[in-house]
Amino acid sequence: MSPETPIRPDTKVMPRAEVVEGKLNLVGLTRDRLRAALLSAGTPEKQAKMRTRQVWSWIYQKGVRDFEDMTNLAKPYRALLAEHFEVRVPEVMTRQISTDGTRKYLVRVAGGHEVEIVYIPETDRGTLCISSQVGCTLNCSFCHTGTQKLVRNLTAAEIIGQVMVARDDLGEWPEPGHNPNVEGRLLSNIVLMGMGEPLYNFDAVRDAMKIAMDPEGISLSRRRITLSTSGVVPEIARAGEEIGCMIAISFHATTDEVRDKLVPINKKWNIKALLDGLRAYPRLSNSERITFEYVMLKGVNDSDEDARRLVRLIKGIPAKINLIPFNPWPGAPYERSSGNRIHAFAEIIHKAGYSSPIRRPRGEDIMAACGQLKSATERVRNISRSI
Ligand code: SAH
Ligand code: SF4
């Protein structure tokens, strides 16, 4: 990215609610907006509260998409709903399963755009990595998504819809009478670490994550949701207040000179501004540590001196440092640090008292690892450009 290129939030690129062929999609509406929608279709005021709960529960607790299947609603009311509304989630175009069990879905959203979703099964959890935008306005030089221009923000429906289609595929909508809060869920965690900068699509991300946390629906604890940001400082505290989920910071460098190149948003909010912002973060505590993501790039940010500087910089912030071996993509200008280098780096951080897990790349054979995501929309565009 050239220094002149403005870094801009693209919040105006998408309408808040989706209306297709005159039918409003109920997915992604907050409870208040769902209630307003039901009232506007003629639901009597006296019944509105109960109907909102019922419809909410059908959509998010039971995973039902067809109003006909909402069997505790009177038939004429089901017909009324079907006349005005739809329950629509992104369409799954392809599903790939890696040799390590990681699943990558390519889903199509309105306008024919495509985004990728990755499901990562582990022994103690199952994490779904979802996207917040088609492409990204930021141009982090090591990130595949960063080579694609922002196409548009995703709506709340498209964001929570990614969770819903993954639950469909995992067969994880509870049977009637089944308690959805039981442990051992296949999809137990959500990370906003797919395509896009979630804090540049704040309202839709907030509404979608509120739905994911709602106890009468998907019901994931706020501690099981992690939002990763490249460092949109003013929005970080807001995420703590309005979403309450865990925060991960794409840190990646210990000097402004290097961070300006890797994460260009650093030119707007530099390392000091970012760390000052984090120190003021309302939810900071030892039990709610901030995750610092640090991609290991050979000869760029992986020296012992970098590790020591990192420890000095974050002093006083309850933190965990997640070391991510760089995942290559075609044409990438970087290489992954060696295993020995990564371990030496981790050791320095560990000795300073921080947890420093090394993230094991998952789903590499299907290009599903961090930073490898880039939608087929873009690939198709590139192909047509070259012919
Ligand atoms: N835009 C947000 C969230 C999406 S990126 C952010 O930047 O935080 C999710 C994570 O993947 C970030 O930490 C990002 O730095 C990391 N990442 C991107 N490209 C990568 C690559 N090629 N190898 C390893 N990690 C990468
Ligand atoms: Fe965008 Fe995050 Fe990739 Fe940077 S790392 S280009 S902010 S998706």
Side-chain angles (χ1 to χ4, degrees):
M1 176 187 248
S2 72
E4 303 75 48
T5 311
I7 296 166
R8 67 208 140 80
D10 275 78
T11 43
K12 43 190 187 315
V13 283
M14 191 62 198
R16 289 284 308 276
E18 290 175 285
V19 183
V20 174
E21 289 168 7
K23 290 192 182 184
L24 175 70
N25 186 9
L26 295 184
V27 175
L29 300 185
T30 60
R31 272 180 186 263
D32 284 348
R33 292 179 69 214
L34 175 60
R35 182 175 187 277
L38 297 183
L39 282 171
S40 73
T43 305
E45 175 80 42
K46 272 204 301 212
Q47 295 178 7
K49 193 173 171 198
M50 178 183 68
R51 296 293 181 224
T52 304
R53 275 187 86 164
Q54 286 172 321
V55 173
W56 185 276
S57 149
W58 280 113
I59 298 176
Y60 299 116
Q61 199 163 56
K62 305 186 184 78
V64 163
R65 307 280 150 78
D66 188 338
F67 293 107
E68 248 332 284
D69 295 334
M70 301 187 177
T71 48
N72 62 355
L73 305 177
K75 276 197 174 247
Y77 188 63
R78 286 184 233 168
L80 179 80
L81 293 180
E83 199 183 304
H84 290 86
F85 306 121
E86 60 175 354
V87 180
R88 187 164 39 82
V89 294
E91 187 187 351
V92 179
M93 307 305 291
T94 60
R95 181 186 76 160
Q96 286 170 279
I97 304 189
S98 158
T99 48
D100 70 11
T102 300
R103 294 177 185 215
K104 181 165 91 170
Y105 310 93
L106 182 70
V107 297
R108 180 167 290 171
V109 295
H113 306 300
E114 286 165 344
V115 287
E116 287 163 325
I117 314 169
V118 180
Y119 171 72
I120 307 146
E122 289 172 280
T123 42
D124 61 338
R125 67 179 68 181
T127 303
L128 193 71
C129 178
I130 60 172
S131 298
S132 54
Q133 301 182 308
V134 183
C136 189
T137 46
L138 304 174
N139 301 73
C140 302
S141 52
F142 57 93
C143 172
H144 204 193
T145 306
T147 64
Q148 182 188 354
K149 287 213 162 52
L150 178 83
V151 180
R152 68 167 170 84
N153 281 338
L154 293 175
T155 61
E158 291 161 346
I159 298 170
I160 194 63
Q162 295 172 57
V163 179
M164 295 164 77
V165 296
R167 291 195 100 195
D168 290 348
D169 186 53
L170 296 166
E172 194 161 54
W173 294 105
E175 296 297 319
H178 183 91
N179 176 2
N181 291 320
V182 289
E183 287 301 309
R185 284 213 212 165
L186 293 172
L187 197 171
S188 63
N189 293 59
I190 296 175
V191 292
L192 282 145
M193 294 186 187
M195 293 166 64
E197 168 49 59
L199 294 185
Y200 274 164
N201 187 13
F202 192 93
D203 291 359
V205 166
R206 177 201 53 215
D207 291 353
M209 291 306 101
K210 287 274 183 208
I211 293 172
M213 290 185 258
D214 190 289
E216 285 178 326
I218 297 166
S219 187
L220 287 178
S221 136
R222 63 180 188 81
R223 285 169 177 257
R224 289 185 175 272
I225 299 176
T226 302
L227 183 155
S228 174
T229 177
S230 55
V232 186
V233 172
E235 304 287 333
I236 295 175
R238 194 174 158 214
E241 279 151 25
E242 295 184 31
I243 310 175
C245 58
M246 308 303 282
I247 298 288
I249 304 291
S250 289
F251 203 61
H252 307 317
T254 61
T255 63
D256 282 325
E257 197 193 345
V258 177
R259 196 163 191 270
D260 278 353
K261 291 201 186 88
L262 298 181
V263 191
I265 200 176
N266 195 66
K267 292 177 198 154
K268 193 158 186 178
W269 293 287
N270 66 12
I271 292 181
K272 181 172 181 320
L274 174 58
L275 293 173
D276 286 349
L278 295 179
R279 288 198 167 88
Y281 184 64
R283 288 191 182 273
L284 205 56
S285 74
N286 259 328
S287 64
E288 296 205 17
R289 291 173 296 173
I290 287 180
T291 299
F292 285 79
E293 296 163 281
Y294 198 96
V295 64
M296 298 298 295
L297 304 170
K298 189 184 226 162
V300 175
N301 63 355
D302 62 351
S303 67
D304 285 355
E305 184 47 32
D306 277 306
R308 286 192 284 267
R309 211 167 18 232
L310 176 60
V311 167
R312 281 200 300 276
L313 282 170
I314 63 172
K315 197 164 190 284
I317 301 178
K320 162 176 143 184
I321 292 95
N322 217 328
L323 299 177
I324 316 174
F326 171 65
N327 294 311
W329 37 270
Y334 299 104
E335 280 175 63
R336 180 184 290 182
S337 309
S338 71
N340 285 346
R341 185 85 299 271
I342 299 178
H343 280 103
F345 195 96
E347 191 53 29
I348 293 172
I349 295 167
H350 186 71
K351 280 213 178 100
Y354 294 96
S355 154
S356 53
I358 299 168
R359 196 182 288 171
R360 191 160 55 95
R362 299 289 304 264
E364 279 184 298
D365 54 335
I366 55 169
M367 287 285 283
C370 290
Q372 293 183 315
L373 303 186
K374 188 173 180 191
S375 76
T377 317
E378 174 72 0
R379 282 194 288 270
V380 168
R381 225 186 302 142
N382 280 341
I383 292 165
S384 53
R385 239 187 252 136
S386 63
I387 49 180

